[in-house]
């Protein structure tokens, strides 16, 4: 067997972004290694800031790339890159060529719902920040649940960025920050009516059991909604899934 469908393409490689900050010269061969490993099916595109696209192209990557634009940035094609998506933190997406979907990072709060209305019935996704280097970068359970539920109501798929390195909701013992878990988000996507309950669960055993009980239809619904999340470490989420008994080399 390959990686279970629920986890295929779930982990976008954000190793060059904080807190990983891996140099491109190290991140590119590391990503090649991920794509040759037994867990390759779980790995999504390589994320790179648009300002470093030329530097990345010079390393001749032969894998899919998603470019992250600064607010207000314009998409400029870069020869040598297989660009499969463009992400931007702004209220409008830049003009994109056919076949290159966009991902719009949205704020929590009143403006969220109007912006989601604009994304509905397009080929683009929403993007939600679920953590960062300060406590206020982490949305509350209520804020994230409202966002995910609103996406489900409008049929807007989404990805998450920052803070989802681990599978289960937890309090970081060093910073005290409340981290969301990617299994929590998957379960919220599978059953939006119980999103807040799923996001608040702190038991890895309970989450693993709930994930194992998902029907094929529920799992497919979860991934149609929650398409991926950016992680600066591919190893950490894989280790969590292995510890919970949800992913092993025997899945190959």
């Amino acid at each position: 067997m390959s990686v279970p469908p629920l986890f295929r393409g779930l982990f976008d490689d954000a190793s060059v972004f904080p807190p990983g900050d891996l140099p491109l010269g190290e991140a590119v061969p590391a990503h090649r290694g991920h794509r040759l490993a037994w867990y390759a099916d779980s790995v999504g595109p390589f994320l790179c800031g648009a300002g470093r696209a030329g530097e990345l192209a010079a390393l001749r990557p032969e894998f899919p790339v998603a470019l992250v634009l600064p607010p207000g940035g314009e998409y400029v094609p870069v020869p040598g890159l297989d660009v499969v998506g463009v992400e931007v933190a702004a209220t409008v997406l830049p003009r994109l060529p056919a076949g290159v979907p966009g991902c719009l990072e949205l704020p929590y709060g009143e403006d969220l719902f109007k912006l989601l209305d604009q994304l509905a019935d397009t080929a683009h996704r929403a993007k939600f920040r679920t953590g960062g280097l300060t406590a206020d970068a982490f949305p509350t359970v209520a804020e994230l649940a409202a966002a995910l539920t609103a996406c489900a109501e409008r049929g807007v798929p989404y990805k998450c960025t920052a803070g989802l390195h681990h599978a289960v909701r937890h309090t970081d013992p060093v910073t005290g920050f409340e981290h969301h878990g990617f299994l929590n988000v998957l379960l919220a996507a599978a059953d939006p009516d119980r999103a807040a309950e799923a996001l608040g669960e702190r038991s890895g055993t309970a989450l693993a059991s709930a994930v194992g009980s998902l029907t094929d239809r529920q799992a497919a619904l979860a991934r149609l909604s929650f398409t991926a999340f950016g992680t600066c470490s591919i190893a950490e989420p894989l280790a969590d899934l292995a510890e919970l008994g949800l992913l092993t080399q025997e899945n190959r």
Side-chain angles (χ1 to χ4, degrees):
M1 289 176 60
S2 61
V3 171
L6 189 63
F7 307 126
R8 291 178 192 168
L10 184 61
F11 311 134
D12 288 356
D13 187 348
S15 56
V16 299
F17 291 89
D21 292 317
L22 201 64
L24 274 174
E26 297 178 28
V28 167
H31 189 80
R32 290 191 181 110
H34 294 318
R35 292 197 167 271
L36 293 173
W38 66 268
Y39 54 83
D41 286 348
S42 69
V43 181
F46 183 85
L47 302 179
C48 181
R52 305 180 69 186
E55 182 185 354
L56 176 61
L59 296 173
R60 300 181 181 274
E62 65 288 346
F63 43 71
V65 173
L67 294 179
V68 182
L69 275 61
E74 289 295 323
Y75 171 67
V76 178
V78 179
L81 294 186
D82 176 18
V83 178
V84 296
V86 173
E87 303 179 11
V88 62
T91 56
V92 294
L93 283 164
R95 293 181 181 177
L96 299 174
V100 179
C103 195
L104 186 63
E105 183 174 331
L106 301 179
Y108 298 99
E110 291 297 324
D111 292 337
L112 168 64
F113 307 105
K114 294 179 181 179
L115 292 169
L116 283 177
D117 287 339
Q118 296 175 21
L119 283 179
D121 300 319
T122 74
H124 308 304
R125 295 179 292 167
K127 177 179 174 180
F128 297 112
R129 190 160 294 275
T130 48
L133 301 179
T134 59
D136 60 3
F138 293 79
T140 65
V141 164
E143 287 174 326
L144 186 55
L148 305 191
T149 301
C151 283
E153 292 171 347
R154 293 162 175 80
V156 176
Y158 52 86
K159 70 167 290 186
C160 294
T161 184
L164 283 184
H165 299 165
H166 291 287
V168 181
R169 181 174 182 81
H170 65 281
T171 303
D172 187 281
V174 176
T175 64
F177 298 164
E178 292 291 316
H179 284 250
H180 296 281
F182 66 83
L183 284 185
N184 299 79
V185 178
L186 277 170
L187 289 170
D191 188 355
D193 291 337
R194 302 178 65 183
E197 179 182 345
L199 292 173
E201 179 59 64
R202 292 176 177 270
S203 167
T205 300
L207 288 171
S209 176
V211 166
S213 298
L214 291 176
T215 65
D216 290 345
R217 181 179 180 280
Q218 288 172 321
L221 174 63
R223 291 307 310 278
L224 281 173
S225 296
F226 179 30
T227 62
F229 68 94
T231 173
C232 64
S233 169
I234 299 296
E236 286 181 345
L238 288 172
D240 277 11
L241 290 178
E243 183 177 348
L244 293 168
L246 294 173
L247 182 65
T248 67
Q249 291 195 40
E250 285 68 34
N251 288 122
R252 286 182 296 175

